[in-house]
Amino acid sequence: MNRREFSIGTAAGALALSSRASKIIAETASASTLRTSICPKSPPPARKLALFDLRELTSHATDFRLTLHCLQGIVNRRQPRLYLIEDHYDELWLDWLRERGDIDTVETLEIGSIFARFLPEVGSMFITDPAIPASVNVATMLAGIESSLVASPAIADQFNLSAGAYPDDNKVGYDLRRLHWKKDVEAYRWFFSRYESRLSHAAVAMLDPATAAVRDYLVAFKIPVVWISSNEDASKNPQADQEAELNFARELFLRWPANIPCFGWPGNGVGAEEGIGEWDGILLASQCGKFEVCSGYDGYSPTVSNLTVHSGTQATLKQKSAAPIHLESGKVYFTFARSDGDGLNFLRHYYRKLFDDPKHGSVPLGWQVGATASDTMPDILDYYYRHGRSGDCFMNALTGVGYIHEDSFADAYPEPRRKEILEEYLAISGRYRARIDATTLSTFAEMSPERLEKMASISGIEGIFANYGRTHATTADNLLTTVGGKPMFRSVNAGPGERTFTFEGRRQAVATTVHQIQEGTPATRPFFLHVFLANWLITMDMVEDIARELGPEYVAVRPDQLVALFHQSIGTHAG
């Protein structure tokens, strides 16, 4: 199930720990609280970047994309020097790097020149096995620890590199087809049984083997990467085995420290497999004490590219101050909260489209932002903070430093370690909330009162905007409550549930949302509402239309203003 398609609900059942996994639960203290940055960061980019436009690829374009993104990770490890263009947004962000002063010049190269310049930095090659998709992830990890090239059989003969066969050294590089794996999980077991100790323990990843972008980051920082197929995938693809892959991933995640990021994305595969999906994938990561940093393809935002370049930048992020606002007793005040900014993919892609929309700024709006972007793409966040309008306010999502299932977080660990991991998570979340200068918190789902109190205690949080859309538990009585003395606004609406890429689709989405808001508004005045805007918000005029059709009784305000107005209504002051 996918939250980004408004399918919030109850999972069929929690993922059960295998007996083997329960025996290997790590009791080591998390190293994450000791690091300055929770996500790995590159050094500052070179003043001059080499540039290649991947859209120029024709023959074997998919194969070359994989090779080039992995090569980029090796090249950029010491200092970011190579930038790859996947789409128009990569061009926009390259211009922003220049404007900010992160780089001076760009040298555009054709593909032959790219290889001529950078192939000397690799000493061998690992060839993937097309029959075993997991071999792509295995080759990616091997490239990271051996500084080697990744190539498919279709293009491998174009590179004069050892692949572990005569007449070359059989220990330098390898053609993974020679291992004759029958199942994806066999490939992962082979790799981790031999090379686990050489990987970074700063992060993990779940990534579709058909995805090329973001591998620069995984290679550069030697991040372990797996993929878990769905039951439907297994019924179509003989090498897939969901149960075995799920158990393997669980055991792996439990061997890695708690409170580290999980990159990539567990569902919406762009290749032959759909993957385990968002619900079960994030549940697995959460149970194992990891938080998701969405950087793979999801919804309609592509996989993040050039993360080794963006993570080498720095920015100090400061919100624009909210204008003072006076409470009127007969009004319904509401905040629009635009979702999915916890995903690096949306920050790189669709947020930029919305921010550059001519209608941006016509109505106050809360923008969800993932705090880890302050590590991984501070230059991109800097664009939004600098170009924000007076009505823009950035909200910490989802929930805390990363995307988690709140009630399931660290459930795979025994007490008292589970409590320790949660306290570490809250402390990290407080530090990262400060980095994005947010005072409001967006949460994912309904949770126990005890867990909600914990999340509300994150330092600096003054108000909570709860849930990824209206849930079955939302009532007129709990739309507005308090937790720890802080107001909590549950979402009044569930969203239209359909894509809105056509004019008629957008019109219906606006009408549905207006109806849900009006139907869900209690009779009490003044009142304060959280209006949830998810992926169906694709143009800013939709926000303008909703606000206009609600009429003069409804007043749109920033999320921090909604908090202030609530306190005015009860005669208290935030903070």
Side-chain angles (χ1 to χ4, degrees), residues 411-432:
D411 273 0
Y413 294 83
E415 297 290 3
R417 181 63 181 134
R418 187 183 307 170
K419 291 182 179 178
E420 294 171 353
I421 291 170
L422 178 60
E423 292 301 323
E424 290 169 0
Y425 180 83
L426 297 174
I428 295 167
S429 294
R431 294 205 311 270
Y432 271 75

Side-chain angles (χ1 to χ4, degrees), residues 189-207:
R189 286 172 179 154
W190 175 89
F191 173 84
F192 283 95
S193 68
R194 290 162 174 79
Y195 302 106
E196 179 172 312
S197 63
R198 297 177 62 185
L199 292 169
S200 168
H201 279 64
V204 294
M206 289 184 277
L207 188 65

Side-chain angles (χ1 to χ4, degrees), residues 169-401:
D169 187 337
N170 64 6
K171 293 185 178 180
V172 179
Y174 209 76
D175 184 342
L176 299 178
R177 293 173 296 178
R178 294 168 55 196
L179 292 169
H180 304 294
W181 295 316
K182 302 300 183 186
K183 295 285 187 180
D184 285 322
V185 72
E186 294 174 23
Y188 293 123
R189 286 172 179 154
W190 175 89
F191 173 84
F192 283 95
S193 68
R194 290 162 174 79
Y195 302 106
E196 179 172 312
S197 63
R198 297 177 62 185
L199 292 169
S200 168
H201 279 64
V204 294
M206 289 184 277
L207 188 65
D208 181 3
T211 295
V214 90
R215 290 186 187 271
D216 64 313
Y217 191 78
L218 305 183
V219 168
F221 295 108
K222 305 178 184 179
I223 295 173
V225 54
V226 295
W227 175 251
I228 305 167
S229 61
S230 68
N231 283 324
E232 293 75 15
D233 294 332
S235 68
K236 297 179 292 185
N237 304 312
Q239 90 292 335
D241 185 336
Q242 189 204 42
E243 182 178 3
E245 294 160 18
L246 178 60
N247 288 336
F248 181 87
R250 184 185 294 112
E251 293 166 4
L252 171 67
F253 285 6
L254 287 171
R255 292 199 298 273
W256 256 241
N259 285 316
I260 60 172
C262 179
F263 288 93
W265 190 244
N268 278 11
V270 296
E273 295 187 350
E274 285 297 315
I276 192 175
E278 176 176 357
W279 182 273
D280 287 338
I282 307 305
L283 179 59
L284 169 66
S286 296
Q287 288 176 332
C288 297
K290 314 297 183 284
F291 50 88
E292 176 67 22
V293 178
C294 179
S295 41
Y297 170 85
D298 180 51
Y300 45 77
S301 282
T303 303
V304 176
S305 46
N306 296 300
L307 211 52
T308 48
V309 179
H310 296 302
S311 67
T313 64
Q314 302 288 338
T316 300
L317 306 169
K318 182 68 177 175
Q319 301 244 28
K320 288 181 168 60
S321 298
I325 187 167
H326 178 70
L327 181 71
E328 295 183 41
S329 60
K331 299 293 186 180
V332 177
Y333 295 93
F334 68 95
T335 284
F336 285 123
R338 207 300 180 182
S339 74
D340 289 84
D342 62 292
L344 305 184
N345 55 343
F346 278 82
L347 292 174
R348 187 199 76 94
H349 178 242
Y350 224 83
Y351 264 36
R352 179 65 186 262
K353 181 179 184 297
L354 293 172
F355 248 67
D356 293 349
D357 189 314
K359 294 285 189 178
H360 172 214
S362 62
V363 179
L365 187 64
W367 301 83
Q368 290 185 0
V369 167
T372 54
S374 63
D375 283 340
T376 54
M377 48 175 59
D379 57 324
I380 291 178
L381 278 190
D382 187 42
Y383 180 87
Y384 298 127
Y385 278 67
R386 288 203 209 181
H387 290 83
R389 311 302 199 264
S390 60
D392 289 331
C393 181
F394 299 101
M395 312 167 71
N396 188 177
L398 182 75
T399 300
V401 70

Side-chain angles (χ1 to χ4, degrees), residues 138-176:
V138 168
T140 298
M141 292 183 284
L142 287 166
I145 63 176
E146 300 285 0
S147 294
S148 297
L149 198 71
V150 175
S152 71
I155 63 171
D157 60 359
Q158 299 192 39
F159 308 109
N160 185 25
L161 290 168
S162 173
Y166 178 84
D168 298 307
D169 187 337
N170 64 6
K171 293 185 178 180
V172 179
Y174 209 76
D175 184 342
L176 299 178

